């Protein structure tokens, strides 16, 4: 295909039902598409139903046929008149009249299948032509393209498009089209240029097929719903939107007859690079479902789906036949015809197989089976029965979730159960029942399965000063989270420098604090053990300063664990690793929260995130980011040697065990890098100029020797202090980033009235400039270090994470 990067957007009939809908779609296209994207459309509103009714009336010789055609024409003409002005209105009205004459002529001839298809195709042609004209009128130049010019197939119940030929034809069509292209869905052509319709759900299939033909990265299907919900929201009012599904989960849901997703729609996705997004054209800002090309990961059902009218087709083979061979041949035939059953019940000893089909396709299946029966005498009997319904659970790992399986069986056992089937791919459990009113069962299943508290396991790495503070806080606060967030928290692992303890039955935080008896461990084995956890979600809390642990972050994500970290190494790592960590958590639908890495409990990152998501852009960040350095320079007056203050700070626990971690400025440098990246700037640690207070000679000493030699700091600090004092200024250690001037960390002379000059001991201060806070920056000040506030930041992240579990 050509090198142009295109996306596909598909709009269904309900999205184009009237003039207001067309205008809404035009606004969506303006906001969400690029100049050379492809837009696939269905027939507007009920146009296809009107044309089908017209064909039926004509076949019956009913005199109402002309009236039906006039009504259809009036509906289309009204859309044109309401949407277009002047020349475009005249042009499309004339084209509509020509089409009506063509349809009238076809109705007077023998209506073979190709003539009927030609008449039906007008619905999509009218939509494409009108939308392209409306976009052009709205200063969004667009062309309409009839898909019969490139989609090539042969007539069949479920036509299969020749992708190789279609790709070449489409490339030729697009050579001369440089604007947005509005393409007809649902229709294709055969090698004699006759119209072939693509069958059930043909427009959605057209969209993803088009995405495959142009190597699109994403296809967005806009309809009257925002995507896939945990249950049908029309029947279960508290159903929640599923924001992400794996392709396998989506395919399983489609196989089970979902009204939102169709199996044929996903077929072209499997062999292409595209992701699929489902969105609502009526409320485009209210969320969506993203279907990702990744392995399904999960611990149970995400969705309750159902079919009200299910038909069971019993097929009996000859007792003399090789049952398994005949069964395999039959299933392969049905798959080839795209008529795979929703559910299968086998009785090998009786040489009988029972297939489940929706009312929509049961006749197609029966006609195929009867044709097969004529060729295969060993297929003895075919019998179909109505009066059944189906309820199913869908989600990765649902068949291994003992609790959910038990709850499901308990609830369905209260009804007349025909049979239960578990999916071969472990993605579904399906129950076929004698027909009942499904709403009460669906509501009860949804409540029992999805509204129960989520069981959340927590594993802590880092049982030092801050880790101990968090364990104490967790012990005090853990009862509040279940009350507010509908979760059950279980501290199941604690690890320190000497080893750790893992117990999925739970650990008492207070006992761990008083009597910690660690065992040594090997990382690979620990990860394997953690992967076997029994919880709905597992959260890893990293309060260490270990670079080695940060290297395991991508593996945490790949196992589906969530991460809360105060550890700065990953956030300040090289871009390649930092982006890999971020992408790993995104790809695996896990969360990484690290608000405690900068400012401890101060709302720095959350404030920047709020600005970014509200449409603002952060342009500069500066401040005093180290509580230790803040205290040292607030206390220093030139009378007491700087080295003496360093020793006092160390004795009071205000510094790291090795004070050079603070005095080198590297910790401040990492914090500034984290904030710069949070503001959306692609930066490396080397991009930040660093003025260390520690010379290379001092860095060469062992940690326990440093304090004996730190008087070497005194001369430089005193000299800088006196220089500032002569100018009526004060000396502070400042971090600053500006999108214009770059980033630096080091000593600065400030006016005594400067906000950075007068802080309480150990306070941090952050000044954020943005497009909105250009002249008057947003300033956040308070304790930026310490056991209590850092532990509080970790706890706040845990609270926020638990909220995310219900999105």
């Amino acid at each position: 295909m050509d090198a142009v990067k295109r996306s596909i957007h598909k709009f269904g009939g309900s999205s184009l039902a009237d003039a207001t809908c067309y205008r809404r779609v035009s606004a969506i296209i303006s906001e969400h598409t690029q100049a050379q994207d492809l837009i696939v459309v269905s027939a507007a509103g009920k146009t296809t139903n009107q044309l089908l009714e017209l064909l039926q009336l004509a076949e019956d010789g009913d005199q109402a046929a002309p009236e039906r055609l006039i009504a259809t024409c009036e509906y289309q003409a009204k859309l044109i008149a309401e949407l277009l002005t002047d020349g475009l209105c005249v042009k499309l009205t004339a084209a509509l009249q020509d089409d009506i004459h063509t349809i009238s002529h076809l109705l007077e001839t023998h209506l073979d299948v190709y003539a009927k298809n030609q008449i039906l195709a007008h619905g999509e042609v009218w939509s494409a032509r009108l939308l392209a004209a409306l976009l052009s009128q709205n200063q969004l130049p667009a062309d309409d393209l009839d898909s019969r010019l490139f989609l090539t197939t042969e007539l069949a119940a479920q036509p299969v498009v020749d992708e190789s030929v279609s790709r070449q034809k489409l490339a030729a069509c697009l050579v001369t089209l440089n604007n947005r292209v509005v393409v007809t869905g649902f229709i294709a052509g055969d090698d004699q240029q006759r119209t072939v319709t693509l069958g059930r759900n043909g427009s959605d299939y057209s969209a993803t097929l088009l995405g495959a033909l142009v190597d699109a990265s994403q296809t967005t299907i806009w309809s009257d719903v925002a995507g896939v919900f945990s249950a049908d929201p029309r029947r279960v009012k508290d159903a929640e939107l599923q924001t992400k599904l794996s392709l396998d989960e989506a395919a399983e849901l489609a196989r089970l007859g979902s009204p939102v997703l169709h199996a044929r729609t996903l077929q072209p996705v499997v062999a292409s690079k595209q992701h699929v997004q489902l969105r609502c054209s009526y409320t485009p800002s209210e969320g969506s479902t993203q279907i990702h090309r990744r392995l399904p990961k999960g611990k149970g059902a995400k969705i309750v789906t159902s079919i009200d009218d299910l038909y069971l087709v019993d097929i009996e083979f000859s007792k003399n036949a090789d049952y398994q061979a005949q069964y395999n041949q039959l299933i392969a035939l049905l798959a080839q015809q795209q008529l795979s059953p929703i559910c299968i019940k086998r009785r090998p000893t009786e040489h009988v197989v029972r297939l489940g089909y929706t009312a929509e396709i049961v006749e197609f299946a029966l006609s195929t089976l009867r044709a097969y029966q004529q060729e295969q005498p060993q297929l003895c009997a075919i019998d179909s029965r109505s009066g059944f319904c189906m309820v199913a659970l869908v989600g990765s790992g649902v068949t291994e979730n003992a609790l959910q399986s038990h709850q499901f069986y308990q609830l369905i056992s209260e009804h007349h159960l025909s049979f239960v089937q578990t999916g071969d791919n472990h993605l579904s459990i399906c129950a076929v029942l004698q027909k009942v009113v499904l709403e009460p069962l669906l509501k009860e299943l949804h409540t029992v399965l999805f509204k129960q508290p989520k069981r959340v396991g927590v594993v802590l790495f880092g049982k030092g000063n801050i880790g101990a503070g968090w364990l104490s806080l967790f012990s005090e606060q853990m009862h509040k989270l279940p009350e507010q967030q509908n979760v059950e928290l279980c501290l199941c692992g604690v690890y320190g420098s000497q080893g750790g303890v893992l117990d999925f039955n739970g650990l008492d935080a207070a006992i761990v604090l008083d009597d910690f008896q660690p065992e040594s461990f090997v990382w690979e084995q620990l990860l394997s053990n953690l992967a076997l956890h029994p919880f709905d979600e597992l959260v890893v809390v990293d309060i260490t300063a270990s670079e080695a642990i940060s290297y395991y972050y991508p593996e945490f994500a790949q196992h589906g664990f969530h991460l809360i970290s105060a550890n700065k190494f990953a956030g300040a790592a090289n871009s390649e690793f930092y982006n890999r960590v971020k992408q790993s958590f995104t790809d695996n639908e896990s969360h990484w929260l690290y608000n405690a890495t900068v400012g401890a409990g101060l709302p720095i990152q959350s404030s920047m995130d709020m600005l970014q998501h509200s449409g603002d852009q952060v342009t500069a960040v500066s401040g005093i980011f180290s509580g230790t350095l803040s205290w040292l320079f607030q206390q220093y007056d030139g009378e007491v040697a700087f080295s003496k203050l360093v020793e006092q700070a160390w004795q009071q626990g205000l510094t790291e065990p090795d004070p050079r971690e603070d005095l080198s400025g590297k910790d401040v440098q990492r914090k500034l890098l984290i904030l710069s990246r949070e503001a959306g700037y692609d930066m490396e640690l080397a991009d930040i100029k660093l003025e260390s207070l520690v010379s290379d000679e001092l860095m060469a000493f062992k940690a326990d020797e440093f304090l004996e030699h730190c008087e070497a700091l005194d001369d430089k600090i005193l000299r800088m202090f006196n220089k500032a004092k002569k100018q009526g200024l004060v000396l502070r250690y400042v971090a600053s980033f500006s999108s214009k001037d770059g980033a630096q960390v080091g000593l600065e002379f400030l006016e005594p009235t400067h906000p950075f000059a007068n802080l309480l001991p150990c306070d941090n201060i952050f000044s954020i400039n943005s497009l909105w806070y250009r002249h008057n920056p947003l300033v956040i000040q308070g304790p930026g270090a310490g056991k209590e506030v850092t532990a509080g930041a970790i706890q706040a992240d845990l609270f926020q994470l638990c909220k995310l579990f219900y999105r």
Side-chain angles (χ1 to χ4, degrees), residues 518-585:
E519 299 177 1
S520 62
F521 67 94
V522 177
W523 266 104
E524 287 70 19
Q525 184 60 50
L526 176 59
L527 286 171
S528 297
N529 292 340
L530 290 176
L532 299 174
H533 73 84
F535 306 103
D536 296 311
E537 310 286 352
L538 186 75
V539 181
V540 173
V541 178
D542 179 11
I543 314 183
T544 71
S546 168
E547 187 172 8
I549 289 181
S550 72
Y551 293 145
Y552 288 97
Y553 285 9
E555 291 192 54
F556 292 163
Q558 288 160 19
H559 282 293
F561 309 157
H562 307 279
L563 174 65
I564 296 171
S565 66
N567 186 335
K568 302 177 184 64
F569 278 103
N574 63 72
S575 290
E576 187 278 328
F577 182 71
Y578 169 75
N579 290 326
R580 180 155 68 90
V581 173
K582 298 273 281 190
Q583 193 61 47
S584 294
F585 280 94

Side-chain angles (χ1 to χ4, degrees), residues 38 72 279 397 403 461 468 474 477 617 678 739 759:
L38 304 178
T72 301
R279 297 187 71 168
L403 178 61
F461 289 96
F474 179 81
Q477 298 288 319
Q617 173 61 56
E678 287 295 291
S739 58
L759 303 180

